[in-house]
Amino acid sequence: MRRRDELIVGFTVVIALIAILAGALWLSGTTMSRTPDFRTARFRTVGGLSAGNPVVLRGVRVGKVVSITLEGDEWVEAQFQINDEYDFPEDAAVIAASASLFGEWQAEIISRLQPPNDPNVIADLAAAFAAGDDVWPGATLPDIGQLTAQAGRIATDIATVSSRVQTAFDSNAVVHMQGAIENFSTVTDQINSFALEQTEAMDGLGVSVMSGVGIMTDAAEMLQGTIGRLDSATSQGEIDSIIQNAQALSAEIRDVAITISELIAVIHNNQASIQRVLQGADSVMSDLVAGTGTVGMLISDSALYIETVRTVQEMRSLVEDIKANPRKYFKFSVF
Amino acid sequence: MQQLIFQSIIEALRAVGRFWLFIHDFLLGLREVRIWASLLPGQMRRVGVNSLPIALFISLFIGIVLALLSRYIFTGSVPMYFVGTLVGKSIMMELGPVLTGLALAGRVGANIAAELGTMRVTEQVDALETLAYDTHSYLVVPRVLAATLMFPVIVTLAIAVGLVSGWLTSITLLELSTQDFIKGLRQFYEFKDIWFGLVKSTSFGAAIAFLGCMKGLTARGGAEGVGLATTQAVVAGAAMILVLDAFWAVLLL
């Protein structure tokens, strides 16, 4: 009984051990056929890459990330387990990036000479390559979270701008804008009306021009006839007589013009004199109004007027006295 | 009232003391290898191998239900290969160990408590002690060790059956290809997924067997006392499984 129990229990345990080992190896993708190859890549940061993430070459899984360790102050080194022999690019590099929207990451082996079109990635690859050693240079693409955060910041900026626009574009602004639009509509109507009027005027002008052209054509024809008649008149000597008369008349007109010109010059001079007289009169009148000057003082000061009147009366009596008694004032002698 | 509270405190302290004394006796019983080693294979078969049908039956339906539930959850924006991920993670880390443990808490815990309780109330245990047998080496250690060693084995096979049933359900009922199911299964797989479940199941086995032995050997009275001890063993075992499940989750995840 005991031997039977041991056999049954042993069989069960072995089956369970096989299930564990085989299942664990199968699920992890580990193969027992050959010794795996190990490669190392150097990154500034590995982002969300972690041990167990797949390593892919042109989209095909070729291994997995075994370990990630910090190297010094600058670098992180990720060790990859490569399950089989593959022809990697001689200038191989590694890009760590999100493999899907659900958070899993992968390390993709690419050619360093054909990096993704991202200046940060190119710079990281160059820096990791320049650091030397026999490791693949690596760079990390931003993950979904970073892109989402960036999109969030952009959305926040847009919301801020929208808020500002909303603040600036309040109900009053709408009313003003409606008024401006209505005004603009009125102005547009006016311009339209004006344009129509101008168009009609231009049409009229065009008609007038056409009419004028017709008249000018008629005039030209008449002129042509006149010239014809002029030719015939020239042949009879009448034109010479007319020209002589016209010359004489012209000389007379020239003389008259000269006279008029001289007369105008005199008038100009008189005008200047009149201006000066008027200026003087104006000055005198100003003095009179202001009570300055002799006349002004005479006008404004009654005492002086009285004194003047008295002086004049005395002068008149003196003159009468001189007339009456000349010997009193004048004495004549020959010798 | 104060007397009642005082009595309750005294009883609680006595229970803790009995528990630690039982552990002490169990550790002393481990020294008697000659006794328990000969009994271990038989107990491993009774506790482990004989429990396989119920464990595998449960895991079979766990796999089916999880696959169908995954399809129901993931319909829409989530890729269907995540059915494999959900089935694998859930069975390996949680449902396989816990549901198997709960099922075995009823079967194994009740079996041990009833057997040892009957031996106690029929004075067979007293007879062993009279014959100078170490009852812990003879009765407790083989059962606890058998459960501790065999529970991971049972859970391993249960996980395997659950994964296979989930895979079969996916390819037959969910129009999911084998490649997609395996892709999802491998997508987030870590070795920790397996050993985390096995560590838990080991602790579950030890706790169930230990509580069954303790309740059985402390049974008093006749058949009623045996029934009460059996019930207490199952309830305490199930509760301890959930407590340990939370404990390991906090400690290891």
Side-chain angles (χ1 to χ4, degrees):
Chain A
M1 184 66 183
R2 186 186 171 192
R3 291 173 61 85
R4 183 180 172 83
D5 289 342
E6 290 173 347
L7 179 63
I8 292 173
V9 170
F11 178 76
T12 305
V13 170
V14 167
I15 293 295
L17 285 175
I18 291 173
I20 288 177
L21 291 174
L25 292 173
W26 177 69
L27 286 175
S28 63
T30 304
T31 58
M32 306 293 288
S33 58
R34 61 179 293 276
T35 303
D37 187 14
F38 290 94
R39 299 296 185 99
T40 303
R42 179 186 293 125
F43 298 85
R44 289 281 192 199
T45 173
V46 292
L49 194 69
S50 61
N53 286 145
V55 177
V56 299
L57 174 65
R58 297 195 293 276
V60 179
R61 178 170 178 150
V62 297
K64 65 178 180 180
V65 179
V66 178
S67 65
I68 294 174
T69 55
L70 288 171
E71 293 294 327
D73 296 332
E74 290 188 86
W75 302 105
V76 180
E77 287 192 354
Q79 190 176 40
F80 305 143
Q81 176 185 311
I82 307 300
N83 295 329
D84 207 342
E85 291 184 359
Y86 298 98
D87 292 329
F88 296 118
E90 290 185 4
D91 50 0
V94 180
I95 300 296
S98 295
S100 75
L101 291 174
F102 301 99
E104 66 263 43
W105 278 61
Q106 68 179 17
E108 182 177 11
I109 300 171
I110 62 167
S111 170
R112 183 173 54 82
L113 303 179
Q114 295 175 327
N117 187 19
D118 185 323
N120 293 328
V121 170
I122 294 171
D124 285 349
L125 288 177
F129 180 73
D133 298 335
D134 188 21
V135 298
W136 288 338
T140 304
L141 289 178
D143 64 357
I144 299 299
Q146 290 172 306
L147 294 176
T148 306
Q150 186 66 29
R153 284 193 289 273
I154 293 171
T156 303
D157 294 341
I158 291 173
T160 303
V161 171
S162 300
S163 176
R164 290 174 180 171
V165 168
Q166 191 174 12
T167 302
F169 197 74
D170 57 1
S171 57
N172 291 329
V174 172
V175 171
H176 293 157
M177 186 166 286
Q178 285 178 342
I181 291 171
E182 290 174 356
N183 293 336
F184 184 73
S185 177
T186 304
V187 170
T188 304
D189 292 340
Q190 291 176 350
I191 291 173
N192 192 22
S193 174
F194 178 73
L196 288 173
E197 291 176 359
Q198 293 302 313
T199 302
E200 291 175 356
M202 289 297 289
D203 289 342
L205 181 61
V207 172
S208 299
V209 168
M210 291 298 292
S211 175
V213 169
I215 292 170
M216 288 184 69
T217 304
D218 295 339
E221 291 174 352
M222 291 175 65
L223 180 62
Q224 189 173 7
T226 302
I227 290 171
R229 287 192 297 272
L230 188 64
D231 288 340
S232 60
T234 304
S235 61
Q236 295 174 359
E238 294 175 355
I239 292 299
D240 291 337
S241 174
I242 293 170
I243 291 173
Q244 288 174 359
N245 293 334
Q247 286 177 342
L249 180 60
S250 176
E252 290 177 357
I253 290 171
R254 191 180 302 121
D255 293 338
V256 170
I258 290 169
T259 303
I260 291 171
S261 178
E262 291 172 352
L263 180 60
I264 289 171
V266 171
I267 290 171
H268 280 168
N269 292 332
N270 291 335
Q271 184 180 6
S273 300
I274 290 168
Q275 284 179 345
R276 283 193 298 274
V277 169
L278 288 174
Q279 288 174 351
D282 184 62
S283 175
V284 170
M285 291 302 292
S286 297
D287 290 341
L288 286 174
V289 172
T292 57
T294 304
V295 178
M297 291 176 68
L298 285 174
I299 292 173
S300 60
D301 191 350
S302 58
L304 183 61
Y305 172 74
I306 293 168
E307 287 296 328
T308 304
V309 171
R310 188 179 296 164
T311 302
V312 171
Q313 290 174 350
E314 289 177 354
M315 284 291 293
R316 191 173 295 162
S317 62
L318 179 61
V319 170
E320 289 174 355
D321 188 52
I322 290 172
K323 286 179 179 177
N325 303 297
R327 292 184 180 272
K328 186 180 177 181
Y329 300 97
F330 300 102
K331 186 179 182 179
F332 293 96
S333 66
V334 178
F335 300 102
Chain B
M1 184 63 182
Q2 290 179 343
Q3 184 71 19
L4 184 63
I5 295 173
F6 181 74
Q7 288 282 348
S8 301
I9 294 173
I10 292 297
E11 284 301 317
L13 290 175
R14 285 186 62 196
V16 173
R18 280 198 304 270
F19 180 77
W20 286 105
L21 284 174
F22 197 86
I23 292 177
H24 173 261
D25 294 340
F26 170 78
L27 294 175
L28 289 178
L30 282 173
R31 296 184 304 182
E32 302 292 338
V33 179
R34 184 178 51 83
I35 298 175
W36 60 258
S38 61
L39 300 170
L40 187 60
Q43 291 299 328
M44 290 174 74
R45 183 184 174 187
R46 288 180 60 196
V47 171
V49 178
N50 292 349
S51 297
L52 272 177
I54 183 64
L56 299 185
F57 181 80
I58 290 172
S59 63
L60 177 75
F61 284 93
I62 290 174
I64 294 171
V65 171
L66 270 181
L68 295 173
L69 192 63
S70 303
R71 191 269 304 264
Y72 174 75
I73 295 172
F74 293 153
T75 299
S77 59
V78 181
M80 285 301 288
Y81 67 81
F82 271 83
V83 171
T85 304
L86 182 68
V87 170
K89 288 276 187 184
S90 300
I91 290 181
M92 282 189 281
M93 299 185 72
E94 186 63 25
L95 295 181
V98 171
L99 291 185
T100 304
L102 288 173
L104 297 188
R107 184 186 182 280
V108 175
N111 179 280
I112 293 174
E115 184 180 10
L116 296 187
T118 303
M119 290 177 71
R120 169 61 76 185
V121 299
T122 56
E123 298 179 347
Q124 294 180 56
V125 176
D126 297 332
L128 288 172
E129 291 173 347
T130 302
L131 294 172
Y133 275 94
D134 182 353
T135 52
H136 279 82
S137 299
Y138 194 77
L139 299 174
V140 177
V141 172
R143 286 170 173 79
V144 172
L145 287 182
T148 305
L149 293 174
M150 290 305 291
F151 258 56
V153 174
I154 298 169
V155 168
T156 299
L157 296 174
I159 288 172
V161 170
L163 293 179
V164 170
S165 67
W167 164 62
L168 290 174
T169 304
S170 298
I171 62 174
T172 55
L173 299 179
L174 307 186
E175 299 178 354
L176 187 68
S177 69
T178 298
Q179 289 76 13
D180 280 345
F181 184 84
I182 293 173
K183 176 185 177 183
L185 199 60
R186 287 177 163 177
Q187 189 81 47
F188 298 99
Y189 166 77
E190 296 177 29
F191 183 57
K192 182 181 184 179
D193 299 349
I194 288 183
W195 67 252
F196 177 72
L198 297 183
V199 167
K200 286 203 300 188
S201 62
T202 303
S203 66
F204 294 166
I208 289 169
F210 197 84
L211 288 170
C213 292
M214 198 174 78
K215 292 296 179 182
L217 290 178
T218 55
R220 292 289 181 269
E224 185 180 355
V226 175
L228 181 62
T230 304
T231 303
Q232 289 178 342
V234 172
V235 171
M240 187 56 68
I241 284 174
L242 299 177
V243 171
L244 288 171
D245 188 36
F247 169 77
W248 290 119
V250 172
L251 190 68
L252 298 179
L253 292 182

